[in-house]
Amino acid sequence: MKKIVFLGAPDKSHVLLLLGKLLAAMDYKVLMVDSTLAQTTQGYLPQEELRAPLYEFEGVDVACGFILYSQMERYLYQKANGMDYDVMLMDTDHTEMVKGRELPHYDKRIWCSNFNRLTMQRNVELMQRLCLHEAQNQPVSFYKMMLSVVPLTVTEAYLDSAFAQQTIRWEEAVFRFPLDERDVSAELENQHHGRIDVKGLSGTYRRTIWEMAHQLFDWDDKTVRRAWKRLRQERAAFRR
């Protein structure tokens, strides 16, 4: 199973659900784990599913409310088919779920932020709690994902300076999602209709998701475009 972990305070549930659905469109068996304090993934789920710790949504198995990895694993072995998945997408801000020394065992690691001051402060605290110096002698590599990006005099270099003392290395690719009213509208529509529909997303959002698929799943351009086409075809068939 390929394990991809997303760390950081901002709400990134729509991105993860979309990535999960993109994988499912290519017949991958996907587990998405929301182990965050906010549990924002629940904003996209049908009301009757909100109390279930594991449910299927848009072709993806979604696990919510677990604090410990062992707790989630035990539940899956008791109630489902264990950890028999092709890909796990984990969103967490709990160091009980993923400890710093365990991070090198994940295939990809994504650090998520925006320029909200409180978010930046919480991210620094999370990085300190991870104790990355315990992970290994070499720096742990992360992709950077920036959400709701708007023009500011504050730069990403300023954000990076908060982690200057940490044993991390930033990957060259950066996933930036500019704040765009079309994307905000599409996310809210998806929440209220209990779905993940790619229609209405901006070209920038789409291209960023494609780049994530390249980097995180090792897909070539042809595979990414085929998966995206299947998403659009699925929604068109649903409407009919």
Side-chain angles (χ1 to χ4, degrees):
M1 178 176 65
K2 188 167 191 173
K3 299 195 296 183
I4 301 173
V5 62
F6 292 74
L7 294 158
D11 175 12
K12 46 202 172 293
S13 51
H14 188 261
V15 172
L16 268 72
L17 287 168
L18 181 50
L19 288 172
K21 188 173 179 179
L22 197 66
L23 286 161
M26 297 300 288
D27 300 320
Y28 285 75
K29 189 176 180 182
V30 184
L31 174 67
M32 179 191 160
V33 181
D34 184 347
S35 177
T36 64
L37 288 170
Q39 295 285 285
T40 52
T41 301
Q42 295 192 16
Y44 293 86
L45 304 176
Q47 189 67 31
E48 61 271 17
E49 304 287 357
L50 294 184
R51 294 183 181 276
L54 180 71
Y55 38 83
E56 187 276 332
F57 177 67
E58 295 282 81
V60 176
D61 282 359
V62 181
C64 281
F66 296 102
I67 304 300
L68 302 175
Y69 191 94
S70 59
Q71 174 193 30
M72 177 189 71
E73 193 174 42
R74 185 166 55 251
Y75 180 89
L76 289 172
Y77 275 105
Q78 291 175 348
K79 303 294 185 180
N81 296 317
M83 299 295 287
D84 184 26
Y85 293 94
D86 299 309
V87 180
M88 178 177 69
L89 304 173
M90 178 180 290
D91 179 10
T92 186
D93 49 21
H94 291 294
T95 52
E96 295 89 345
M97 176 61 80
V98 179
K99 297 177 174 61
R101 63 177 178 272
E102 298 167 350
L103 282 173
H105 302 296
Y106 282 76
D107 297 276
K108 307 284 183 177
R109 296 157 294 274
I110 300 90
W111 192 262
C112 309
S113 187
N114 55 33
F115 285 107
N116 180 282
R117 184 180 175 187
L118 185 56
T119 294
M120 294 172 63
Q121 179 180 329
R122 288 175 175 170
N123 274 5
V124 170
E125 293 170 353
L126 174 59
M127 184 70 81
Q128 291 171 343
R129 294 201 311 274
L130 283 169
C131 299
L132 292 180
H133 63 278
E134 298 179 356
Q136 56 184 21
N137 295 327
Q138 298 298 320
V140 180
S141 63
F142 286 89
Y143 289 93
K144 190 191 303 177
M145 185 167 88
M146 298 296 298
L147 295 156
S148 300
V149 176
V150 293
L152 284 176
T153 57
V154 178
T155 66
E156 288 183 28
Y158 170 75
L159 184 150
D160 295 344
S161 67
F163 306 118
Q165 303 302 315
Q166 299 291 334
T167 53
I168 63 174
R169 176 177 62 84
W170 297 117
E171 297 284 0
E172 184 175 347
V174 179
F175 311 128
R176 296 183 179 91
F177 290 89
L179 183 62
D180 188 300
E181 65 179 27
R182 291 168 294 179
D183 299 325
V184 174
S185 176
E187 289 189 18
L188 291 173
E189 289 281 350
N190 284 341
Q191 287 181 19
H192 289 281
H193 290 93
R195 68 189 184 197
I196 299 296
D197 192 348
V198 301
K199 182 181 179 182
L201 294 173
S202 68
T204 301
Y205 196 109
R206 182 188 70 245
R207 288 189 293 272
T208 305
I209 291 291
W210 287 10
E211 178 62 16
M212 293 184 79
H214 282 303
Q215 298 291 334
L216 304 183
F217 312 146
D218 302 313
W219 286 358
D220 58 23
D221 189 62
K222 183 178 180 180
T223 303
V224 175
R225 290 178 181 273
R226 185 164 69 248
W228 195 264
K229 183 178 180 180
R230 287 186 181 182
L231 288 191
R232 295 183 65 87
Q233 289 173 338
E234 286 177 6
R235 184 51 58 185
F238 176 81
R239 290 196 185 96
R240 288 196 296 268

